[in-house]
Amino acid sequence: MSERIQALHALRAFEVASRYGSFTRAAQELALTQGAVSHHVKTLEAMFGCDLFERRGPKLRLTEHGRLLAQELKVGFKIIENACALLRQDRYGLRLKAPSTLTVRWLLKALDGFKKIDNSCTVQLSSVWMDIDTVDFYSEPYDCAILLGNGRFAADVESLKLFDEWLIPVCHPEYLQGAEPGLSALQHCDLLHPSPDRRDWRRWLARMDAQDISIDQGQVFDTLDQGISAAQQGLGISVVDLVLASADLAAGRLVTPFKHAVATGDGYYMTWLKSSPKARHMQRLRDYLLSQVPPLAHKDIDYLYG
């Protein structure tokens, strides 16, 4: 039995080292010394009769044998974690990861409504800034996540689209007063960019066949929420997600100077591991969130696919 326990410790050390590509990082996570992690890996290599890492300087690279073992251990340790979760006090709670703008603009209110109708399941929300939305359920402390993406997730991940991303320019109601009509007005406007790579304006202008309009100028922000806030203050025109800006448009805090919304092909998806013991609770949350998505019934807007 002692040998089996030691082997389990060694497998865990290897799995963590395989994720980080570093014995040092693995040692920090496991509260071990770097030498102890290295010893665990050497023990496994002796046990299996093959190298698990290629050691080239400080960076480790998995061998083909190491890659196969790491892949299976990642799943195996998650199964063990799920089994233990069933006995914890929070077995009816969900840990949810979501992008910061989605949280502020829609999710917080939706979750408050869910809490009022379903007190059998609590939701612990972590609002996270992500330039590219990702989650690793095997290394991050979340049961589920809402991510902006194209819907192509790993085979062991369950996903359901909540709503599509539709991009449209918005500004303060008085920002374009007296401006010339049409897209040419953008040549003289301050373009607000919700992401450092300026991808949203690039996508929208490409669909409008208006690539001659420069997107090199204008304030660049980290989040869509910052772009919306700047537009509300009359600082320029931002491209936003139509669903996430729907409350501001309905209240008149923002207007859509150009009546074309462009689908990017991406959408917001709720995701979780198919093997999760909390799948039933996540399905209830998913169904409620779907019921809270505002309809795309904005007057005079044309919906264009990219």
Side-chain angles (χ1 to χ4, degrees):
M1 179 63 71
S2 176
E3 291 180 356
R4 293 178 183 177
I5 293 175
Q6 289 303 317
L8 184 62
H9 289 323
L11 290 169
R12 184 57 171 165
F14 164 74
E15 190 274 329
V16 176
S18 72
R19 277 194 273 118
Y20 291 121
S22 166
F23 288 160
T24 301
R25 293 283 303 279
Q28 291 170 349
E29 178 166 321
L30 297 171
L32 298 173
T33 65
Q34 180 182 357
V37 174
S38 178
H39 176 74
H40 279 315
V41 172
K42 289 178 181 178
T43 298
L44 293 177
E45 289 177 330
M47 181 188 305
F48 297 131
C50 62
D51 290 337
L52 299 175
F53 287 106
E54 295 178 8
R55 295 164 174 82
R56 296 179 179 177
K59 188 68 175 176
L60 302 173
R61 180 177 297 176
L62 287 168
T63 64
E64 183 60 22
H65 290 102
R67 186 188 65 78
L68 291 173
L69 180 61
Q71 178 178 298
E72 296 303 316
L73 287 177
K74 189 176 185 180
V75 175
F77 280 115
K78 188 62 180 180
I79 291 173
I80 294 173
E81 180 182 325
N82 287 342
C84 295
L86 291 173
L87 301 179
R88 295 184 187 137
Q89 288 186 346
D90 68 344
R91 60 187 178 276
Y92 300 117
L94 298 179
R95 299 164 297 174
L96 171 63
K97 178 183 183 181
S100 54
T101 295
L102 179 81
T103 297
V104 172
R105 295 281 162 179
W106 176 71
L107 188 56
L108 278 175
K109 184 176 180 180
L111 290 179
D112 184 62
F114 180 71
K115 178 177 64 176
K116 292 175 180 176
I117 69 164
D118 190 337
N119 58 13
S120 66
C121 175
T122 60
V123 180
Q124 180 61 50
L125 173 64
S126 292
S127 176
V128 182
W129 179 86
M130 295 176 280
D131 184 34
I132 303 297
D133 290 8
T134 60
V135 66
D136 185 343
F137 289 119
Y138 296 100
S139 61
E140 296 182 69
Y142 305 114
D143 301 302
C144 51
I146 299 177
L147 305 173
L148 177 64
N150 57 19
R152 293 192 288 270
F153 298 100
D156 57 350
V157 172
E158 188 76 46
S159 67
L160 178 91
K161 185 194 295 182
L162 298 174
F163 57 89
D164 289 306
E165 180 184 48
W166 290 90
L167 297 180
I168 193 167
V170 297
C171 64
H172 187 276
E174 299 178 359
Y175 183 75
L176 280 178
Q177 283 187 357
E180 57 185 291
L183 291 177
S184 58
L186 290 174
Q187 298 280 18
H188 311 291
C189 294
D190 292 313
L191 302 187
L192 306 174
H193 302 279
S195 59
D197 61 6
R198 307 170 191 249
R199 61 180 175 265
D200 292 340
W201 269 114
R202 185 178 295 107
R203 285 173 163 180
W204 191 84
L205 289 170
R207 184 62 179 84
M208 295 296 102
D209 196 23
Q211 292 95 324
D212 56 318
I213 295 176
S214 174
I215 62 172
D216 294 334
Q217 49 83 26
Q219 180 67 47
V220 176
F221 299 100
D222 291 324
T223 68
L224 185 69
D225 186 58
Q226 292 172 346
I228 292 174
S229 178
Q232 287 178 348
Q233 297 175 57
L235 303 181
I237 301 180
S238 184
V239 172
V240 304
D241 179 279
L242 192 54
V243 170
L244 300 184
S246 59
D248 295 296
L249 291 169
R253 293 186 292 269
L254 293 172
V255 295
T256 53
F258 309 104
K259 305 301 181 181
H260 303 291
V262 173
T264 65
D266 290 336
Y268 285 93
Y269 292 80
M270 183 170 170
T271 63
W272 63 89
L273 284 177
K274 293 178 179 178
S275 61
S276 173
K278 301 180 181 179
R280 183 168 57 88
H281 301 297
M282 287 183 277
Q283 289 164 1
R284 292 210 309 274
L285 175 60
R286 171 203 66 187
D287 293 343
Y288 180 80
L289 292 179
L290 271 175
S291 73
Q292 299 303 300
V293 177
L296 291 177
H298 300 274
K299 185 179 179 182
D300 300 330
I301 289 180
D302 295 326
Y303 295 91
L304 307 175
Y305 289 91

